[in-house]
Amino acid sequence: MAPTPMPTEAHDLRHHGDAEVRGDGAALVDLAVNVRADTPPVWLRERIAGSLGSLAAYPDGRAARAAVAARHGLPVERVLLTAGAAEAFVLLARALKVRRPVVVHPQFTEPEAALRDAGHTVDRVLLREEDGFRLDPAAVPEEADLVVIGNPTNPTSVLHPAACIAELARPGRTLVVDEAFMDAVPGEREALAGRTDVPGLVVLRSLTKTWGLAGLRIGYVLAAPETIADLERAQPLWPVSTPALVAAQACVSPPALAEAAHAAHRVASDRAHLVAGLGEFAAAGLRVVEPAEGPFVLVRLPRAAAVRRHLRELGFAVRRGDTFPGLGEEWLRLAVRDRGTVSSFLGALERAMTAAGR
């Protein structure tokens, strides 16, 4: 796995799953967006609604920042609240002085897009299907002074061992680990959030996935105080709204963490049901990347683009995979949903694959 210099871009790095369910896709059953269904829960909506009476005042993030710090056992100087994890990628690209950034793909494409928009030339390390899209730390060039990797990785659903990712750390290198989906992993095993012994470590977390807050935009960065200070200087004033700050504080409370832990086990069970059902299509050439550990699975199948079109006709939206560097038109990403929805989807998938094969 040698690093791949940035080519003339053939992938739409700014295409995301929500594009599948906008406009005429709004009525489709959504397996394209990796936000937990039936969220935000009622108690969280009520907490957010209760904040609306204080909108005349400027946002004060101190309580939410302290709550996030306490959740990870860190001092507040190691925490920065952001308008979703996507803002954090922009801040990193603009604030850090780097010469050779490397992004490990396939993964969420916003980190590379943000780096390129900030004027950086980006190298890619492409993980291979034959290796199960698993990280080989030796594939990352020693000269890289910024490395970005997701864990568990979107879209592959691969959970890399924390020790393996930590091998990427070097003096003088910033190691960015996107843990936006880590709270969907039972026990958050392999998490690096809260670690202070890994040099140059920057961990990004999102509260939009598990809690259904994509429209509110809330996430945070965990890093060394000097890195946090650099990122904070690059932020505009009052970057996180009062409702989002209230949501952040609520979502890291002990009852919320217990609810998220329960949801992670439910997602694991529902994912097993989906993967078992997809296994019935193996003879037709469908392959699931396993073991899947996130709230989504990546599949490769013949005529995937045609299957996706037929699925839309049958009322289901799935995420195309060809916008991810390292993948092509034969890949689709499927969000994990409840068993009833999955069973209906599997029936539609059978019809779509039959229609695509005609």
Side-chain angles (χ1 to χ4, degrees), residues 16 35 68 79-93 108 110-111 114 176-181 202-222 231 235-236 238-245 247-248:
H16 300 297
V35 172
V68 170
V79 175
L80 182 68
L81 303 176
T82 59
E87 187 205 5
F89 291 123
V90 173
L91 296 176
L92 288 163
F108 185 49
E110 277 302 312
V176 179
V177 184
D178 176 7
E179 292 189 350
F181 296 99
V202 177
V203 174
L204 275 54
R205 285 286 182 112
S206 170
L207 296 173
T208 65
K209 314 300 183 184
T210 287
W211 297 108
L213 298 174
L216 195 61
R217 311 309 305 141
I218 180 63
Y220 54 89
V221 182
L222 308 174
L231 300 180
Q235 271 188 318
W238 310 294
V240 181
S241 70
T242 295
L245 292 171

Side-chain angles (χ1 to χ4, degrees), residues 39-120:
T39 52
V42 172
W43 67 264
L44 182 53
R45 294 201 301 269
E46 291 175 348
R47 287 284 297 274
I48 294 169
S51 73
L52 301 183
S54 58
L55 291 186
Y58 286 97
D60 183 348
R62 288 176 296 177
R65 188 177 185 182
V68 170
R71 182 257 192 270
H72 292 288
L74 296 171
V76 293
E77 293 80 11
R78 284 183 167 267
V79 175
L80 182 68
L81 303 176
T82 59
E87 187 205 5
F89 291 123
V90 173
L91 296 176
L92 288 163
R94 293 178 179 176
L96 300 186
K97 304 298 187 287
V98 296
R99 295 172 291 97
R100 188 173 181 187
V102 170
V103 179
V104 180
H105 285 289
Q107 77 149 334
F108 185 49
T109 52
E110 277 302 312
E112 180 173 323
L115 286 162
R116 292 177 58 184
D117 287 348
H120 298 286

Side-chain angles (χ1 to χ4, degrees), residues 129-155:
E129 178 187 5
E130 53 265 41
D131 298 327
F133 295 109
R134 298 201 162 273
L135 173 67
D136 175 8
V140 176
E142 283 294 324
E143 317 86 74
D145 57 357
L146 174 70
V147 179
V148 185
I149 186 169
N151 202 36
T153 302
N154 170 23

Side-chain angles (χ1 to χ4, degrees), residues 65 77 80 224-234:
R65 188 177 185 182
E77 293 80 11
L80 182 68
E226 56 272 23
T227 301
I228 294 297
D230 288 340
L231 300 180
E232 193 166 17
R233 281 191 291 270

Side-chain angles (χ1 to χ4, degrees), residues 7-356:
T8 300
E9 187 49 52
H11 298 85
D12 182 359
L13 300 180
R14 285 276 157 73
H15 179 92
H16 300 297
D18 62 312
E20 309 283 356
V21 290
R22 291 199 299 257
D24 62 358
L28 300 176
V29 178
D30 179 10
L31 278 78
V33 176
N34 290 328
V35 172
R36 184 162 62 99
D38 301 321
T39 52
V42 172
W43 67 264
L44 182 53
R45 294 201 301 269
E46 291 175 348
R47 287 284 297 274
I48 294 169
S51 73
L52 301 183
S54 58
L55 291 186
Y58 286 97
D60 183 348
R62 288 176 296 177
R65 188 177 185 182
V68 170
R71 182 257 192 270
H72 292 288
L74 296 171
V76 293
E77 293 80 11
R78 284 183 167 267
V79 175
L80 182 68
L81 303 176
T82 59
E87 187 205 5
F89 291 123
V90 173
L91 296 176
L92 288 163
R94 293 178 179 176
L96 300 186
K97 304 298 187 287
V98 296
R99 295 172 291 97
R100 188 173 181 187
V102 170
V103 179
V104 180
H105 285 289
Q107 77 149 334
F108 185 49
T109 52
E110 277 302 312
E112 180 173 323
L115 286 162
R116 292 177 58 184
D117 287 348
H120 298 286
T121 299
V122 182
D123 284 345
R124 295 171 178 170
V125 169
L126 300 179
L127 305 185
R128 303 185 302 176
E129 178 187 5
E130 53 265 41
D131 298 327
F133 295 109
R134 298 201 162 273
L135 173 67
D136 175 8
V140 176
E142 283 294 324
E143 317 86 74
D145 57 357
L146 174 70
V147 179
V148 185
I149 186 169
N151 202 36
T153 302
N154 170 23
T156 63
S157 208
V158 169
L159 182 66
H160 304 287
C164 184
I165 292 180
E167 286 183 39
L168 294 173
R170 301 281 190 282
R173 171 185 288 178
T174 300
L175 172 60
V176 179
V177 184
D178 176 7
E179 292 189 350
F181 296 99
M182 187 61 77
D183 60 354
V185 176
E188 295 196 6
R189 66 187 191 280
E190 312 305 344
L192 287 167
R195 294 273 296 271
T196 60
D197 60 321
V198 180
L201 177 65
V202 177
V203 174
L204 275 54
R205 285 286 182 112
S206 170
L207 296 173
T208 65
K209 314 300 183 184
T210 287
W211 297 108
L213 298 174
L216 195 61
R217 311 309 305 141
I218 180 63
Y220 54 89
V221 182
L222 308 174
E226 56 272 23
T227 301
I228 294 297
D230 288 340
L231 300 180
E232 193 166 17
R233 281 191 291 270
Q235 271 188 318
L237 288 173
W238 310 294
V240 181
S241 70
T242 295
L245 292 171
V246 167
Q249 192 170 354
C251 291
V252 298
S253 67
L257 295 177
E259 182 175 328
H262 177 75
H265 287 283
R266 187 170 66 249
V267 165
S269 177
D270 291 341
R271 183 181 59 239
H273 177 64
L274 172 60
V275 170
L278 293 170
E280 299 297 318
F281 298 93
L286 186 149
R287 178 184 176 275
V288 182
V289 176
E290 294 188 83
E293 300 284 0
F296 46 86
V297 299
L298 182 66
V299 300
R300 184 173 187 171
L301 69 163
R303 300 173 292 278
V307 169
R308 176 175 156 269
R309 289 195 298 271
H310 287 297
L311 282 170
R312 292 183 72 84
E313 295 168 1
L314 294 167
F316 291 86
V318 299
R319 171 67 157 90
R320 56 190 279 201
D322 62 317
T323 64
F324 293 100
L327 301 181
E329 290 188 353
E330 67 274 24
W331 294 94
L332 298 174
R333 190 193 69 193
L334 313 175
V336 174
R337 297 293 185 242
D338 64 271
R339 292 188 174 218
T341 300
V342 166
S343 295
S344 298
F345 166 74
L346 292 171
L349 178 61
E350 181 176 17
R351 296 193 294 276
M353 290 182 68
T354 299

